[in-house]
Amino acid sequence: MTEAAIQFSASAAPVEASFEPAQGMRSLRVLARLLDYPTQELQDACGELIEILNAESRLGAGLKLSLMEWCQRLHEGELLELQAEYVAMFDKGRATSLLLFEHVHGESRDRGQAMVDLMAEYSAAGFELDARELPDHLPVFLEYLSMCEEAEIGRWLGEIRHILALLTARLEERGADHALVPLSLLALIGAEGDVEEHRPQVKKEAPDNTPEALDAVWEEEAVRFSATSDEDCALQSAEGRRLAERKKAVHSDPVKIMPSAWSASPSSTVADR
């Protein structure tokens, strides 16, 4: 990619992206990609991502500029350093997990029914999930939303707004550019102010990505030798529990999250914001 291809300005004309959904919002796929593990392919695509973001009329100019500047940094950054930063941010500790229901249920079995319900939504819409991914992984969820109509996008974002606000506050506290993604999703429904109520709590939280904190988690998830079945053993680790939940639904109360702000105004659409 030439240097000229990565430049952007307020007047840049949008170009057609190779992955444009038949309906919905292309910018949601851009936000999904920005939460992916950094690769050379992602760096090479930054010019296209910038152009799609610049054409997104639903986001404010300041937020769009911040997103585009982040794309520029991704394009110019040292790949190994970007990958190391990503691992430190998302693969150590749970506070900044990209698994939405983990912020509601943690690693308890209560996540099971919530994920089953979400999978049913995906199936009804004809959205096929890669076997390697969990349905509540935020980039996967954004891929699904990118196929939806604007009213449906607004409904879903309204339902998970408190998770997005908490994740934004935690990522901001760590100085991560990735905070711009959940903040942008909140901005689409006019809910950026939700982040403020979480900041005092987040500032008091003890870091969960230190060696000591990680050791404590491993101790908690140590295999119980009294387990009566292989399923019980599998459920002792985070990954084991996730795989078991996907294999067999655990019946429990569905996740209860904040009602959509959109439901108070049925005629609202993302474009209206």
Side-chain angles (χ1 to χ4, degrees):
M1 177 179 295
T2 64
E3 197 61 30
I6 199 68
Q7 298 303 315
F8 58 87
S9 68
S11 60
V15 297
E16 292 301 314
S18 59
F19 55 84
E20 180 179 8
Q23 57 183 343
M25 295 170 56
R26 290 191 299 165
S27 57
L28 292 177
R29 287 196 169 186
V30 172
L31 296 176
R33 296 289 68 77
L34 289 174
L35 290 180
D36 281 344
Y37 181 74
T39 62
Q40 186 62 57
E41 181 181 18
L42 176 61
Q43 287 186 307
D44 292 343
C46 281
E48 184 180 20
L49 303 186
I50 285 172
E51 289 165 337
I52 294 172
L53 288 170
N54 193 55
E56 177 53 75
S57 61
R58 303 168 184 87
L59 294 175
L63 188 52
K64 286 201 297 184
L65 181 60
S66 294
L67 285 164
M68 293 188 289
E69 289 176 341
W70 177 21
C71 289
Q72 184 85 23
R73 289 192 292 274
L74 283 174
H75 173 69
E76 297 172 349
E78 174 60 43
L79 183 57
L80 291 179
E81 292 180 4
L82 294 172
Q83 291 171 339
E85 291 170 358
Y86 185 94
V87 169
M89 185 61 58
F90 296 112
D91 292 352
K92 296 180 180 180
R94 296 171 179 168
T96 56
S97 174
L98 294 178
L99 298 172
L100 294 171
F101 296 146
E102 191 161 303
H103 294 282
V104 179
H105 295 303
E107 288 295 342
S108 74
R109 296 189 179 195
D110 292 338
R111 281 183 66 204
Q113 188 61 51
M115 292 204 291
V116 168
D117 292 343
L118 186 55
M119 282 291 292
E121 293 270 359
Y122 289 169
S123 297
F127 182 67
E128 296 295 329
L129 188 65
D130 189 300
R132 297 169 298 177
E133 300 291 355
L134 289 173
D136 63 337
H137 191 233
L138 184 52
V140 173
F141 183 66
L142 293 179
E143 288 280 357
Y144 164 68
L145 288 188
S146 74
M147 301 167 53
C148 297
E149 298 287 353
E150 290 184 351
E152 186 72 358
I153 294 170
R155 179 181 74 83
W156 271 113
L157 293 181
E159 290 183 356
I160 65 168
R161 60 188 288 179
H162 76 294
I163 301 176
L164 296 173
L166 178 59
L167 182 58
T168 300
R170 286 173 169 170
L171 290 170
E172 286 181 347
E173 183 67 17
R174 299 188 184 188
D177 285 326
H178 303 84
L180 291 169
V181 173
L183 182 62
S184 296
L185 298 175
L186 290 169
L188 290 174
I189 57 171
E192 306 99 307
D194 288 8
V195 180
E196 188 60 38
E197 67 181 86
H198 293 281
R199 290 193 174 111
Q201 167 199 334
V202 168
K203 287 184 178 297
K204 296 177 182 178
E205 291 177 345
D208 71 342
N209 58 348
T210 63
E212 294 78 13
L214 294 173
D215 286 344
V217 171
W218 279 109
E219 290 174 6
E220 291 174 3
E221 295 181 345
V223 174
R224 293 195 308 265
F225 290 101
S226 60
T228 57
S229 69
D230 59 345
E231 181 179 16
D232 288 337
C233 290
L235 288 169
Q236 304 316 305
S237 69
E239 187 60 22
R241 279 196 291 271
R242 291 170 188 162
L243 292 174
E245 286 167 350
R246 292 184 62 183
K247 182 178 179 181
K248 180 180 179 181
V250 178
H251 298 290
S252 63
D253 293 335
V255 59
K256 297 178 181 179
I257 50 183
M258 185 180 298
S260 171
W262 288 54
S263 59
S265 178
S267 62
S268 296
T269 66
V270 174
D272 293 331
R273 299 287 174 174

